Amino acid sequence: MTQLQEFTLKETAQWLQNCEDAHILIHRSPDGDCIGSGYALAEALRQMGKRAAVLCSDPIPERYQFLLPKETQQIFSPKCVISVDVADAKLLGENLQPVYGECVDLSIDHHISHRQFAGALCLDGSAAAACQIVYQLVQLLPVTLTDSMAACLYTGIATDTGCFQFDNVSPATHRIAADLMERCPDVNYAWINRQMFAVKSMGRLHLEQLMIDHLEPYFGGKCMLICITQEFIRKFGIDDAELEGIAGFPLQVQGAEVGIVMKEKEPEKFRISMRSAGETDVSAICAAHGGGGHRKAAGCLVCGPAAQVRAVLLKSVSEVLNTP
Ligand SMILES: [Mn+2]
């Protein structure tokens, strides 16, 4: 096993200045933060005269396409491999993990549950988003902040904080967002927020209607669960894209402290997303099932029939939730 190193921001910036031909890996089921941090970092590297490409196991969802550069990415073999916003090599996904899982040189991340897999790690568990770290790196590099970088970084910060609502938001988060707005005033930040948080497709609204009908309350409504089986998806003709970001949905119910979304990826294989609105540490619950994440947002993979998976999860939740 090679020596694993922890890098400060300064050391990371130094490393980035020396790197060449970078492949930047982002996590499967890409979200605003990994896409934003990946493409902002790629642009910074290109400004320094380096080749950089962003790679993902899954396609970039339509709603984030505006963050992608107009020109198609160059194809080249990498001299260095960087991951951003990837808490665990498994999250590289089925296309990237077999190829890159063991050869990531530098990992830039903000998950407290990070499991080190890269040669060097730049981790800031207090950062609300990986984009917050990439912003700080950009300050240390000889690059100019462009509108496209600002749009990427702002989108990542806004989406990973639920539009500045979650308690991962710090004064630094607001200062960074303010600085991006000040230095790149031509970016339409209001449009970004509307696209990310207000606008929904008709299909998504129909799905939300279905989810309301299928929400299951437990422990006097302190835990709300929704189980999306493959049968559910087939029966109601749900498009996979509509399912993005549904993890927060159960917590919209007043009184809910823990929200669980069970999504059947393959027969009897459930991807679990847990969210906490109160004191419950859902990353600890998910860790007990081989997953991880943040205190208020975590996930894991649990196999078995839906009823069994549901029972196992509820038992874990009941152990930490203050139920009478
Ligand atoms: Mn993130």
Side-chain angles (χ1 to χ4, degrees), residues 215-225 250-260 274-280 282 285 314 317-318 320-324:
L215 265 173
E216 306 166 23
Y218 295 97
F219 314 123
K222 283 188 180 174
C223 176
M224 299 298 296
L225 184 146
L251 278 190
Q252 288 186 44
V253 183
Q254 191 168 32
E257 290 178 26
V258 174
I260 304 175
M274 278 199 206
R275 297 291 182 269
S276 168
E279 293 307 306
T280 310
V282 288
I285 300 174
L314 290 172
V317 170
S318 75
V320 289
L321 207 59
N322 295 324
T323 46

Side-chain angles (χ1 to χ4, degrees), residues 27 31 33-34 85 109-111 128-130 160 294:
H27 60 75
D31 61 11
D33 188 33
C34 74
D85 200 34
D109 191 28
H110 71 120
H111 294 89
D160 254 28
H294 308 284

Side-chain angles (χ1 to χ4, degrees), residues 4-321:
L4 304 174
Q5 281 184 286
E6 294 242 8
F7 273 6
T8 60
L9 280 173
K10 247 179 137 175
E11 287 166 332
T12 308
Q14 194 62 55
W15 191 96
L16 291 169
Q17 279 190 263
N18 294 329
C19 84
E20 255 181 274
D21 295 351
H23 276 186
I24 299 169
L25 317 179
I26 62 176
H27 60 75
R28 68 171 184 218
S29 308
D31 61 11
D33 188 33
C34 74
I35 296 165
S37 53
Y39 280 94
L41 180 61
E43 192 180 328
L45 293 177
R46 275 189 226 109
Q47 270 194 40
M48 294 192 289
K50 303 167 191 302
R51 291 199 288 189
V54 179
L55 283 80
C56 186
S57 271
D58 298 317
I60 304 297
E62 179 60 39
R63 60 199 255 100
Y64 299 116
Q65 290 286 332
F66 74 99
L67 295 174
L68 274 46
K70 311 250 173 322
E71 59 278 10
T72 44
Q73 289 199 123
Q74 269 187 295
I75 296 167
F76 58 90
S77 63
K79 291 205 179 90
C80 71
V81 180
I82 305 167
S83 71
V84 285
D85 200 34
V86 181
D88 189 308
K90 280 188 291 191
L91 299 175
L92 290 171
E94 58 182 10
N95 294 324
L96 296 184
Q97 194 193 357
V99 186
Y100 296 94
E102 283 172 8
C103 61
V104 179
D105 300 302
L106 169 70
S107 176
I108 298 169
D109 191 28
H110 71 120
H111 294 89
I112 47 164
S113 64
H114 186 93
R115 289 201 191 142
Q116 191 162 352
F117 56 90
L121 171 66
C122 173
L123 181 74
D124 179 359
S126 73
C131 279
Q132 216 175 292
I133 307 173
V134 170
Y135 165 89
Q136 288 173 303
L137 291 169
V138 167
Q139 307 306 300
L140 298 171
L141 293 170
V143 298
T144 315
L145 184 75
T146 62
D147 285 354
S148 50
M149 282 159 84
C152 279
L153 295 172
Y154 185 89
T155 301
I157 291 168
T159 51
D160 254 28
T161 58
C163 208
F164 304 90
Q165 285 185 70
F166 303 157
D167 62 5
N168 56 1
V169 174
S170 68
T173 315
H174 284 293
R175 281 195 193 99
I176 291 168
D179 187 55
L180 295 171
M181 292 181 95
E182 214 154 53
R183 286 159 68 190
C184 301
D186 293 336
V187 174
N188 194 339
Y189 300 96
W191 179 88
I192 292 174
N193 282 326
R194 184 173 142 73
Q195 290 306 306
M196 295 298 116
F197 304 104
V199 173
K200 293 170 183 179
S201 68
M202 209 57 206
R204 171 57 180 238
L205 288 167
H206 278 137
L207 172 66
E208 293 195 357
Q209 190 173 33
L210 283 167
M211 289 198 294
I212 292 167
D213 292 340
H214 291 82
L215 265 173
E216 306 166 23
Y218 295 97
F219 314 123
K222 283 188 180 174
C223 176
M224 299 298 296
L225 184 146
I226 174 107
C227 176
I228 298 178
T229 58
Q230 296 205 326
E231 195 207 333
F232 183 98
I233 290 170
R234 262 195 310 273
K235 186 173 161 194
F236 298 111
I238 294 160
D239 179 350
D240 218 45
E242 310 295 359
L243 290 166
E244 207 228 314
I246 60 167
F249 189 80
L251 278 190
Q252 288 186 44
V253 183
Q254 191 168 32
E257 290 178 26
V258 174
I260 304 175
V261 174
M262 296 172 46
K263 191 189 160 206
E264 193 174 24
K265 292 293 286 181
E266 288 164 38
E268 307 209 335
K269 195 170 179 183
F270 287 86
R271 183 167 296 164
I272 313 300
S273 301
M274 278 199 206
R275 297 291 182 269
S276 168
E279 293 307 306
T280 310
D281 179 0
V282 288
S283 79
I285 300 174
C286 290
H289 297 285
H294 308 284
R295 282 185 67 87
K296 301 214 163 185
C300 56
L301 208 65
V302 183
C303 295
Q308 190 187 315
V309 173
R310 182 194 278 104
V312 161
L313 295 172
L314 290 172
K315 185 169 182 294
S316 296
V317 170
S318 75
E319 282 160 9
V320 289
L321 207 59

